[in-house]
Amino acid sequence: MSTKPQGGNSVVGKPIDRVDGKLKVTGQAKYSADISLPNMAYAAVVQSTISAGKITAIDTAEAEKVAGVLAVLTHQNAPRLKKSDNDQNNVPILQDNIIRFAGQNIAVVVADTFEIATHAADLVKVTYAPSKSPNTNPDPLSNTLFEQMQKSPGQSRGDFVAGMKNAAVKIEATYTTPTETHNPMEPFATVAHWEGDKLTVYETTQGVFPSKKSISEMAGIPANNITVITHFLGGGFGCKLSVWSHAIMAVLAAKQVKRPVKLVLKRTQMYGPVGFRPKTFQQITLGATKQGKLTAMKHLSVNETSLFRQFTEYCTEPTNVMYACPNVTTAIKQAAINIGSPTWMRAPGDAPGSFALESAMDELAYALGIDPIELRVKNFADKDPESGKPWSSNSLLECYKVGAQRFGWAKRSPAIKSMKRGKMQVGLGVAAATHPTYRSEAGAIASISSDGTATIKSGTQDIGTGTYTIMAQVAADILGLPINKIKVELGDTRFPQTPLSGGSQTAASVGSAVTAAAKKLLDALFDLAIGDEKSPLQKSEKKDLEFRNGVLTEKGSKSSEKIGDLLKRNNMPKLEVTAKSTPAKDDKYAKRSFGVQFAEVEVEPDLGRVHVTRMLGAYAAGKILNEKTARSQMLGGMIWGMGMTLFEETLMDHKLGRIVNNDFAEYHIPVHADMPSFDVIFIPEEDPHVNPVGAKGVGELAINGAAAAIANAIYHATGKRLRHIPITLDQLF
Ligand code: MOS
């Protein structure tokens, strides 16, 4: 239990089951692709098979001849759209014949059934004039960009060159991380439904409001005419933070055929056109005194991006904030090539960036002959090294201590190749993690009806992490109701405005809004009782009133009244309020979550096969609203960290310019047989400064550092310092 209960029957913090769990396991939860509307038609996309060039002819005659086909939209007949000013929306949507990457959606077929649409899509004949010099390989470009950055590095504090002069020990190394494709369980799906000039879109999105805005800007539809609904999302991890071309194509197709249209992408169609984590190249230089104090750090990073939309992977972010080093230089550049647009993937920047930084810190620890934890503790930043502001709270030192103890770090023998289990080489590794605590303005409606049931409504979407559940918990505690008396409705732009579920900000943002709405509801309830001359509480002072289990009572007196009686007498079926919670503009505090990742590996000496045997994460992320759903997120992050270190890689055939492993058979992610034993520790943090709900967000923190912890464990086991992930057999052979 990581948080103190607030009252007698407090549920915040408790590891309670998901309130929507039953709906999910009984198939009653409707995801976007489950939406079925009367007279609905189905769409299927056609994707480009070349990576660069032009479409010289696109023959849709055969597809159109198939019985049941309603329309085929291509760049030749699709409505002309105004280019959005927002780079985020800048994806190709049938506006010209230019091919920018393999997998670009170049036509959409609409038919009476999914099967007919899919079949007819295969009959669309495309003739290309391929570009003579397509480029899908960022490697050569990255070298040029590094040369430029070495000459004039960017953002910095202190004086890197001077700092290096004071260094007794130096580390300089280059790390690379692969292109990774998001593979949420739920593929992308859009159901577009026009009624006159009003459009409803059931969309797989991590942000109903940003989606509404993007659809408006991309398709040229007034935002007021658009409703976006996402009741359930089967994971997004960043790729569903944007509206991609297929969604707009569904909207245009529905308009054209005058029927609701459902478009679901196949798994294979999600490799390229709907984002991915870009490949990164990172150069790190560290300087330290003999005692292990960092004197200078440099982190330069290059990430691949598309030719039509610039995306920056902020790999240098952890280097700017993790350690109390006075002299820091960081810079980032992009290598633009013929690929789809990269996008955010769980802990964008931080996940690949922390692999490089925390590997480099491990290298430094060995070079100095200092324990890797001790080195990190020595360089602990007791305030934000960038802004100089105090932390709202920071329990990183506690994470090292508690984590090391539970993991048995003291039993590790420091020398490489010094630990064995049978014939297996054993290694233990560690890495630090941090993530910013974001919060945006959010709103919520809270109401209570005469039967004593409360309802919370907020636009925000539950992306699978448990938002329905934690919002019910937050409301239950404030309203003094059991959790089964709280109904939560989410995922609809007709409800109060909320931010996207990205940057691990939903608990903090929407939790604060629900806190505000529930408090405002209590206040309104007390006002109603005091203002009602027939209420036994009419003479009470507001500060003496309490509301528990549907009954208003006055402290220290026997006066009380049931909610039903009060509302009925006032002819109110329910009492409802709307509230907004806005973060303060200038903040006195720097706000981050922190954590430490531990990993143990066994490496087969003959084959070089790596088995991760144990992982432990010790995390400090403010108030943990639900220990069960939070733990699930941590496990997900650690497992993903393992996948990132050992398995995941989107492989490009540079001759064809196409991704070759675009399915679950070839794109490897960890399975049950790969699972180590897991331990998740939440360090209790009561942070009154961070936000009204006290939560810092957990989703993205969990993956940070995981790859470095495993790579560092592999070094400890084998003496092989592997700076490129995924780490595969051939590197250890
Ligand atoms: Mo997250 S990558 O901000 O969905």
Side-chain angles (χ1 to χ4, degrees), residues 27 46 53 120 127 145 215 267 323 360-361 372 398 401 444 493 542 546 566 572 577 608 654 658-659 666 673 675 722:
V46 178
T127 313
L145 293 168
I215 292 167
R267 181 68 56 186
Y323 298 107
M361 285 297 283
E398 189 78 359
K401 203 173 119 195
T493 52
K542 206 196 270 186
E546 277 183 342
L566 176 66
M572 296 171 84
V577 300
H654 295 305
R658 290 171 69 174
I659 293 163
E666 299 294 333
M675 293 305 152
L722 301 171

PDB file of all heavy atoms in Angstrom, residues 27 46 53 120 127 145 215 267 323 360-361 372 398 401 444 493 542 546 566 572 577 608 654 658-659 666 673 675 722:
ATOM      1  N   GLY A  27     -17.132  -8.957 -23.349  1.00  0.00           N
ATOM      2  CA  GLY A  27     -17.302  -8.478 -24.724  1.00  0.00           C
ATOM      3  C   GLY A  27     -18.336  -7.379 -24.875  1.00  0.00           C
ATOM      4  O   GLY A  27     -18.737  -7.047 -25.984  1.00  0.00           O
ATOM      5  N   VAL A  46      -5.740   1.024 -49.965  1.00  0.00           N
ATOM      6  CA  VAL A  46      -4.692   0.497 -50.842  1.00  0.00           C
ATOM      7  C   VAL A  46      -3.431   1.259 -50.474  1.00  0.00           C
ATOM      8  O   VAL A  46      -3.465   2.478 -50.331  1.00  0.00           O
ATOM      9  CB  VAL A  46      -5.039   0.745 -52.330  1.00  0.00           C
ATOM     10  CG1 VAL A  46      -3.924   0.243 -53.240  1.00  0.00           C
ATOM     11  CG2 VAL A  46      -6.376   0.120 -52.687  1.00  0.00           C
ATOM     12  N   GLY A  53       8.568   8.265 -55.384  1.00  0.00           N
ATOM     13  CA  GLY A  53       8.293   8.394 -56.815  1.00  0.00           C
ATOM     14  C   GLY A  53       6.922   8.967 -57.053  1.00  0.00           C
ATOM     15  O   GLY A  53       6.421   9.757 -56.247  1.00  0.00           O
ATOM     16  N   ALA A 120     -11.820  -5.903 -53.417  1.00  0.00           N
ATOM     17  CA  ALA A 120     -11.747  -4.891 -54.477  1.00  0.00           C
ATOM     18  C   ALA A 120     -10.485  -4.036 -54.340  1.00  0.00           C
ATOM     19  O   ALA A 120      -9.908  -3.609 -55.342  1.00  0.00           O
ATOM     20  CB  ALA A 120     -12.999  -4.016 -54.465  1.00  0.00           C
ATOM     21  N   THR A 127       0.247   2.055 -61.334  1.00  0.00           N
ATOM     22  CA  THR A 127       1.511   2.096 -62.072  1.00  0.00           C
ATOM     23  C   THR A 127       2.340   3.249 -61.511  1.00  0.00           C
ATOM     24  O   THR A 127       1.830   4.351 -61.322  1.00  0.00           O
ATOM     25  CB  THR A 127       1.263   2.329 -63.583  1.00  0.00           C
ATOM     26  OG1 THR A 127       0.223   1.451 -64.000  1.00  0.00           O
ATOM     27  CG2 THR A 127       2.518   2.070 -64.391  1.00  0.00           C
ATOM     28  N   LEU A 145      25.181  14.816 -40.023  1.00  0.00           N
ATOM     29  CA  LEU A 145      24.520  15.654 -39.022  1.00  0.00           C
ATOM     30  C   LEU A 145      25.338  15.726 -37.728  1.00  0.00           C
ATOM     31  O   LEU A 145      25.408  16.767 -37.081  1.00  0.00           O
ATOM     32  CB  LEU A 145      23.110  15.117 -38.748  1.00  0.00           C
ATOM     33  CG  LEU A 145      22.149  15.240 -39.942  1.00  0.00           C
ATOM     34  CD1 LEU A 145      20.882  14.430 -39.721  1.00  0.00           C
ATOM     35  CD2 LEU A 145      21.806  16.701 -40.211  1.00  0.00           C
ATOM     36  N   ILE A 215      -9.386  16.604 -37.218  1.00  0.00           N
ATOM     37  CA  ILE A 215     -10.328  16.230 -38.284  1.00  0.00           C
ATOM     38  C   ILE A 215     -10.886  17.506 -38.915  1.00  0.00           C
ATOM     39  O   ILE A 215     -10.992  17.618 -40.139  1.00  0.00           O
ATOM     40  CB  ILE A 215     -11.463  15.328 -37.737  1.00  0.00           C
ATOM     41  CG1 ILE A 215     -10.898  13.964 -37.323  1.00  0.00           C
ATOM     42  CG2 ILE A 215     -12.564  15.141 -38.788  1.00  0.00           C
ATOM     43  CD1 ILE A 215     -11.852  13.108 -36.499  1.00  0.00           C
ATOM     44  N   ARG A 267      -3.264  -5.332 -39.267  1.00  0.00           N
ATOM     45  CA  ARG A 267      -1.988  -5.192 -38.556  1.00  0.00           C
ATOM     46  C   ARG A 267      -0.873  -4.797 -39.530  1.00  0.00           C
ATOM     47  O   ARG A 267      -0.079  -3.900 -39.271  1.00  0.00           O
ATOM     48  CB  ARG A 267      -1.657  -6.522 -37.849  1.00  0.00           C
ATOM     49  CG  ARG A 267      -0.372  -6.546 -37.053  1.00  0.00           C
ATOM     50  CD  ARG A 267      -0.381  -5.682 -35.818  1.00  0.00           C
ATOM     51  NE  ARG A 267      -1.467  -5.996 -34.896  1.00  0.00           N
ATOM     52  CZ  ARG A 267      -1.745  -5.282 -33.796  1.00  0.00           C
ATOM     53  NH1 ARG A 267      -1.013  -4.229 -33.482  1.00  0.00           N
ATOM     54  NH2 ARG A 267      -2.767  -5.602 -33.022  1.00  0.00           N
ATOM     55  N   TYR A 323      21.174  14.383 -13.710  1.00  0.00           N
ATOM     56  CA  TYR A 323      22.311  14.476 -12.790  1.00  0.00           C
ATOM     57  C   TYR A 323      22.736  15.923 -12.530  1.00  0.00           C
ATOM     58  O   TYR A 323      22.536  16.796 -13.368  1.00  0.00           O
ATOM     59  CB  TYR A 323      23.490  13.646 -13.332  1.00  0.00           C
ATOM     60  CG  TYR A 323      23.130  12.185 -13.432  1.00  0.00           C
ATOM     61  CD1 TYR A 323      22.907  11.582 -14.668  1.00  0.00           C
ATOM     62  CD2 TYR A 323      22.951  11.419 -12.272  1.00  0.00           C
ATOM     63  CE1 TYR A 323      22.529  10.249 -14.751  1.00  0.00           C
ATOM     64  CE2 TYR A 323      22.574  10.090 -12.348  1.00  0.00           C
ATOM     65  CZ  TYR A 323      22.365   9.508 -13.594  1.00  0.00           C
ATOM     66  OH  TYR A 323      21.980   8.190 -13.661  1.00  0.00           O
ATOM     67  N   ALA A 360      25.961   4.746 -20.687  1.00  0.00           N
ATOM     68  CA  ALA A 360      27.195   5.529 -20.546  1.00  0.00           C
ATOM     69  C   ALA A 360      27.576   5.672 -19.069  1.00  0.00           C
ATOM     70  O   ALA A 360      28.763   5.610 -18.715  1.00  0.00           O
ATOM     71  CB  ALA A 360      27.029   6.899 -21.196  1.00  0.00           C
ATOM     72  N   MET A 361      26.591   5.870 -18.219  1.00  0.00           N
ATOM     73  CA  MET A 361      26.868   5.983 -16.779  1.00  0.00           C
ATOM     74  C   MET A 361      27.465   4.673 -16.248  1.00  0.00           C
ATOM     75  O   MET A 361      28.343   4.681 -15.386  1.00  0.00           O
ATOM     76  CB  MET A 361      25.587   6.337 -16.009  1.00  0.00           C
ATOM     77  CG  MET A 361      25.159   7.794 -16.152  1.00  0.00           C
ATOM     78  SD  MET A 361      26.348   8.997 -15.499  1.00  0.00           S
ATOM     79  CE  MET A 361      26.046   8.866 -13.728  1.00  0.00           C
ATOM     80  N   PRO A 372      27.948   1.110  -9.673  1.00  0.00           N
ATOM     81  CA  PRO A 372      27.053   1.919 -10.517  1.00  0.00           C
ATOM     82  C   PRO A 372      25.971   2.668  -9.728  1.00  0.00           C
ATOM     83  O   PRO A 372      25.568   3.765 -10.146  1.00  0.00           O
ATOM     84  CB  PRO A 372      26.406   0.894 -11.454  1.00  0.00           C
ATOM     85  CG  PRO A 372      27.263  -0.310 -11.413  1.00  0.00           C
ATOM     86  CD  PRO A 372      28.012  -0.294 -10.119  1.00  0.00           C
ATOM     87  N   GLU A 398      15.653   7.165  -2.321  1.00  0.00           N
ATOM     88  CA  GLU A 398      14.897   6.095  -1.669  1.00  0.00           C
ATOM     89  C   GLU A 398      14.694   4.917  -2.639  1.00  0.00           C
ATOM     90  O   GLU A 398      14.763   3.753  -2.234  1.00  0.00           O
ATOM     91  CB  GLU A 398      13.547   6.681  -1.225  1.00  0.00           C
ATOM     92  CG  GLU A 398      12.708   5.807  -0.350  1.00  0.00           C
ATOM     93  CD  GLU A 398      13.181   5.796   1.101  1.00  0.00           C
ATOM     94  OE1 GLU A 398      14.180   6.463   1.406  1.00  0.00           O
ATOM     95  OE2 GLU A 398      12.540   5.088   1.897  1.00  0.00           O
ATOM     96  N   LYS A 401      17.831   2.907  -2.711  1.00  0.00           N
ATOM     97  CA  LYS A 401      18.040   2.186  -1.455  1.00  0.00           C
ATOM     98  C   LYS A 401      17.105   0.982  -1.345  1.00  0.00           C
ATOM     99  O   LYS A 401      17.560  -0.160  -1.164  1.00  0.00           O
ATOM    100  CB  LYS A 401      17.811   3.156  -0.281  1.00  0.00           C
ATOM    101  CG  LYS A 401      18.501   2.746   0.996  1.00  0.00           C
ATOM    102  CD  LYS A 401      18.371   3.838   2.047  1.00  0.00           C
ATOM    103  CE  LYS A 401      17.619   3.264   3.231  1.00  0.00           C
ATOM    104  NZ  LYS A 401      17.132   4.318   4.131  1.00  0.00           N
ATOM    105  N   ALA A 444     -14.689  18.513 -15.744  1.00  0.00           N
ATOM    106  CA  ALA A 444     -15.522  17.345 -15.434  1.00  0.00           C
ATOM    107  C   ALA A 444     -16.870  17.822 -14.923  1.00  0.00           C
ATOM    108  O   ALA A 444     -16.994  18.914 -14.367  1.00  0.00           O
ATOM    109  CB  ALA A 444     -14.842  16.460 -14.392  1.00  0.00           C
ATOM    110  N   THR A 493     -16.599  14.059 -26.970  1.00  0.00           N
ATOM    111  CA  THR A 493     -16.317  15.498 -27.031  1.00  0.00           C
ATOM    112  C   THR A 493     -17.505  16.345 -26.610  1.00  0.00           C
ATOM    113  O   THR A 493     -17.385  17.566 -26.523  1.00  0.00           O
ATOM    114  CB  THR A 493     -15.875  15.935 -28.445  1.00  0.00           C
ATOM    115  OG1 THR A 493     -16.836  15.456 -29.394  1.00  0.00           O
ATOM    116  CG2 THR A 493     -14.495  15.417 -28.789  1.00  0.00           C
ATOM    117  N   LYS A 542     -21.824  25.436   7.057  1.00  0.00           N
ATOM    118  CA  LYS A 542     -21.336  24.554   5.989  1.00  0.00           C
ATOM    119  C   LYS A 542     -20.123  23.727   6.429  1.00  0.00           C
ATOM    120  O   LYS A 542     -19.992  22.554   6.109  1.00  0.00           O
ATOM    121  CB  LYS A 542     -20.981  25.381   4.761  1.00  0.00           C
ATOM    122  CG  LYS A 542     -21.082  24.564   3.467  1.00  0.00           C
ATOM    123  CD  LYS A 542     -20.387  25.207   2.318  1.00  0.00           C
ATOM    124  CE  LYS A 542     -21.291  26.126   1.547  1.00  0.00           C
ATOM    125  NZ  LYS A 542     -20.656  26.663   0.340  1.00  0.00           N
ATOM    126  N   GLU A 546     -21.247  17.093   6.677  1.00  0.00           N
ATOM    127  CA  GLU A 546     -20.545  15.964   6.069  1.00  0.00           C
ATOM    128  C   GLU A 546     -21.520  15.195   5.207  1.00  0.00           C
ATOM    129  O   GLU A 546     -22.728  15.227   5.452  1.00  0.00           O
ATOM    130  CB  GLU A 546     -20.028  15.020   7.159  1.00  0.00           C
ATOM    131  CG  GLU A 546     -18.714  15.454   7.759  1.00  0.00           C
ATOM    132  CD  GLU A 546     -18.199  14.444   8.786  1.00  0.00           C
ATOM    133  OE1 GLU A 546     -18.994  13.619   9.270  1.00  0.00           O
ATOM    134  OE2 GLU A 546     -17.019  14.508   9.067  1.00  0.00           O
ATOM    135  N   LEU A 566     -33.804  15.307   0.408  1.00  0.00           N
ATOM    136  CA  LEU A 566     -33.446  16.697   0.104  1.00  0.00           C
ATOM    137  C   LEU A 566     -33.744  17.037  -1.362  1.00  0.00           C
ATOM    138  O   LEU A 566     -34.356  18.060  -1.665  1.00  0.00           O
ATOM    139  CB  LEU A 566     -31.955  16.922   0.414  1.00  0.00           C
ATOM    140  CG  LEU A 566     -31.370  18.296   0.064  1.00  0.00           C
ATOM    141  CD1 LEU A 566     -31.982  19.410   0.909  1.00  0.00           C
ATOM    142  CD2 LEU A 566     -29.845  18.309   0.223  1.00  0.00           C
ATOM    143  N   MET A 572     -35.830  18.161  -7.475  1.00  0.00           N
ATOM    144  CA  MET A 572     -34.648  18.018  -8.319  1.00  0.00           C
ATOM    145  C   MET A 572     -34.368  16.534  -8.504  1.00  0.00           C
ATOM    146  O   MET A 572     -34.066  15.849  -7.537  1.00  0.00           O
ATOM    147  CB  MET A 572     -33.433  18.674  -7.648  1.00  0.00           C
ATOM    148  CG  MET A 572     -33.591  20.179  -7.474  1.00  0.00           C
ATOM    149  SD  MET A 572     -32.252  20.833  -6.456  1.00  0.00           S
ATOM    150  CE  MET A 572     -30.998  21.034  -7.688  1.00  0.00           C
ATOM    151  N   VAL A 577     -23.029  19.770 -11.219  1.00  0.00           N
ATOM    152  CA  VAL A 577     -22.107  20.902 -11.342  1.00  0.00           C
ATOM    153  C   VAL A 577     -21.033  20.569 -12.378  1.00  0.00           C
ATOM    154  O   VAL A 577     -20.761  19.404 -12.660  1.00  0.00           O
ATOM    155  CB  VAL A 577     -21.395  21.228 -10.002  1.00  0.00           C
ATOM    156  CG1 VAL A 577     -22.393  21.591  -8.908  1.00  0.00           C
ATOM    157  CG2 VAL A 577     -20.497  20.075  -9.562  1.00  0.00           C
ATOM    158  N   GLY A 608      25.153 -17.541 -26.702  1.00  0.00           N
ATOM    159  CA  GLY A 608      24.950 -16.102 -26.565  1.00  0.00           C
ATOM    160  C   GLY A 608      23.496 -15.737 -26.330  1.00  0.00           C
ATOM    161  O   GLY A 608      23.112 -14.578 -26.451  1.00  0.00           O
ATOM    162  N   HIS A 654      16.410  -1.840 -47.698  1.00  0.00           N
ATOM    163  CA  HIS A 654      16.720  -0.552 -48.324  1.00  0.00           C
ATOM    164  C   HIS A 654      16.682  -0.618 -49.848  1.00  0.00           C
ATOM    165  O   HIS A 654      16.542   0.409 -50.502  1.00  0.00           O
ATOM    166  CB  HIS A 654      18.083  -0.035 -47.844  1.00  0.00           C
ATOM    167  CG  HIS A 654      18.086   0.289 -46.375  1.00  0.00           C
ATOM    168  ND1 HIS A 654      17.182   1.159 -45.810  1.00  0.00           N
ATOM    169  CD2 HIS A 654      18.844  -0.172 -45.352  1.00  0.00           C
ATOM    170  CE1 HIS A 654      17.396   1.237 -44.509  1.00  0.00           C
ATOM    171  NE2 HIS A 654      18.400   0.432 -44.205  1.00  0.00           N
ATOM    172  N   ARG A 658      11.104  -0.979 -48.328  1.00  0.00           N
ATOM    173  CA  ARG A 658       9.901  -1.468 -47.642  1.00  0.00           C
ATOM    174  C   ARG A 658      10.259  -2.178 -46.345  1.00  0.00           C
ATOM    175  O   ARG A 658      11.317  -2.791 -46.221  1.00  0.00           O
ATOM    176  CB  ARG A 658       9.140  -2.440 -48.554  1.00  0.00           C
ATOM    177  CG  ARG A 658       8.487  -1.744 -49.721  1.00  0.00           C
ATOM    178  CD  ARG A 658       7.929  -2.724 -50.722  1.00  0.00           C
ATOM    179  NE  ARG A 658       6.781  -3.449 -50.179  1.00  0.00           N
ATOM    180  CZ  ARG A 658       6.037  -4.288 -50.912  1.00  0.00           C
ATOM    181  NH1 ARG A 658       6.316  -4.497 -52.171  1.00  0.00           N
ATOM    182  NH2 ARG A 658       5.018  -4.907 -50.356  1.00  0.00           N
ATOM    183  N   ILE A 659       9.302  -2.108 -45.407  1.00  0.00           N
ATOM    184  CA  ILE A 659       9.457  -2.810 -44.137  1.00  0.00           C
ATOM    185  C   ILE A 659       9.199  -4.289 -44.405  1.00  0.00           C
ATOM    186  O   ILE A 659       8.204  -4.647 -45.053  1.00  0.00           O
ATOM    187  CB  ILE A 659       8.471  -2.247 -43.089  1.00  0.00           C
ATOM    188  CG1 ILE A 659       8.859  -0.801 -42.746  1.00  0.00           C
ATOM    189  CG2 ILE A 659       8.431  -3.133 -41.846  1.00  0.00           C
ATOM    190  CD1 ILE A 659       7.773  -0.010 -42.049  1.00  0.00           C
ATOM    191  N   GLU A 666       6.969 -11.879 -37.623  1.00  0.00           N
ATOM    192  CA  GLU A 666       8.343 -11.438 -37.853  1.00  0.00           C
ATOM    193  C   GLU A 666       8.773 -10.272 -36.963  1.00  0.00           C
ATOM    194  O   GLU A 666       9.962 -10.060 -36.753  1.00  0.00           O
ATOM    195  CB  GLU A 666       8.512 -11.033 -39.331  1.00  0.00           C
ATOM    196  CG  GLU A 666       8.259 -12.157 -40.316  1.00  0.00           C
ATOM    197  CD  GLU A 666       9.283 -13.273 -40.207  1.00  0.00           C
ATOM    198  OE1 GLU A 666      10.420 -13.006 -39.794  1.00  0.00           O
ATOM    199  OE2 GLU A 666       8.925 -14.425 -40.517  1.00  0.00           O
ATOM    200  N   ALA A 673       6.792 -16.937 -22.412  1.00  0.00           N
ATOM    201  CA  ALA A 673       7.991 -17.751 -22.178  1.00  0.00           C
ATOM    202  C   ALA A 673       9.224 -16.887 -21.912  1.00  0.00           C
ATOM    203  O   ALA A 673      10.207 -17.366 -21.343  1.00  0.00           O
ATOM    204  CB  ALA A 673       8.237 -18.658 -23.378  1.00  0.00           C
ATOM    205  N   MET A 675       9.187 -14.165 -20.027  1.00  0.00           N
ATOM    206  CA  MET A 675       8.989 -13.318 -18.848  1.00  0.00           C
ATOM    207  C   MET A 675       9.891 -13.700 -17.684  1.00  0.00           C
ATOM    208  O   MET A 675       9.950 -14.846 -17.282  1.00  0.00           O
ATOM    209  CB  MET A 675       7.530 -13.381 -18.361  1.00  0.00           C
ATOM    210  CG  MET A 675       6.555 -12.764 -19.317  1.00  0.00           C
ATOM    211  SD  MET A 675       6.968 -11.066 -19.721  1.00  0.00           S
ATOM    212  CE  MET A 675       6.242 -10.973 -21.353  1.00  0.00           C
ATOM    213  N   LEU A 722      27.460  -3.677 -25.266  1.00  0.00           N
ATOM    214  CA  LEU A 722      26.690  -3.613 -26.502  1.00  0.00           C
ATOM    215  C   LEU A 722      25.906  -2.315 -26.531  1.00  0.00           C
ATOM    216  O   LEU A 722      25.084  -2.058 -25.668  1.00  0.00           O
ATOM    217  CB  LEU A 722      25.798  -4.843 -26.616  1.00  0.00           C
ATOM    218  CG  LEU A 722      26.642  -6.136 -26.604  1.00  0.00           C
ATOM    219  CD1 LEU A 722      25.781  -7.364 -26.499  1.00  0.00           C
ATOM    220  CD2 LEU A 722      27.549  -6.214 -27.829  1.00  0.00           C
TER     221      LEU A 722
END
